[in-house]
Amino acid sequence: MPNIKSAKKRVKVIATKTLQNKSVRSDLRTAVKKADVALEQGTEDKALAVRAAIKKIDSAVTKGILHKNNAARQKSRLALKLNQAG
C-alpha cells in the first residue's frame, strides 16, 4: 500500500481507468461476437453488424486498448467473412 499522497492518487486513477478499459473491451468483444453470429446465420443485417464491430475496433485503437495491427487483422478477417458470405 502506498504511503505517499501522489502514489495513493495514482492507485485510484489506475483503478478508474482499468474499469473504463474493461468496459470498452467488453463492448468490443460483444460487437465482434454479434457480427460473427450474424455472418454465420446469414441474417439480413450482417453488414450492419460488421460495420458496428469495425467502428468499435477503431474506437478501441484510438483509446489505446488495441494495437493498430491487431485491429487491422480483426477488421480484415471480418471483411473477408462478410465477402465470403455474399
Side-chain angles (χ1 to χ4, degrees):
M1 197 66 203
N3 293 325
I4 299 170
K5 185 176 181 180
S6 61
K8 290 178 184 177
K9 180 179 177 183
R10 294 311 308 164
V11 168
K12 288 181 183 178
V13 170
I14 289 169
T16 303
K17 287 181 179 271
T18 300
L19 288 176
Q20 291 173 346
N21 291 342
K22 280 185 180 180
S23 172
V24 171
R25 192 175 294 119
S26 175
D27 290 344
L28 167 68
R29 289 176 179 163
T30 302
V32 170
K33 285 178 185 177
K34 283 183 180 179
D36 282 338
V37 168
L39 288 169
E40 287 176 6
Q41 293 180 350
T43 59
E44 301 164 356
D45 60 342
K46 57 188 169 190
L48 293 175
V50 170
R51 189 178 304 147
I54 288 175
K55 189 173 181 180
K56 292 281 187 181
I57 291 170
D58 287 336
S59 91
V61 170
T62 59
K63 293 176 182 177
I65 294 173
L66 280 182
H67 190 272
K68 64 179 184 174
N69 292 348
N70 185 343
R73 183 177 66 245
Q74 288 186 16
K75 293 191 298 186
S76 176
R77 287 178 179 170
L78 282 174
L80 185 65
K81 286 180 186 178
L82 179 63
N83 290 336
Q84 288 177 346

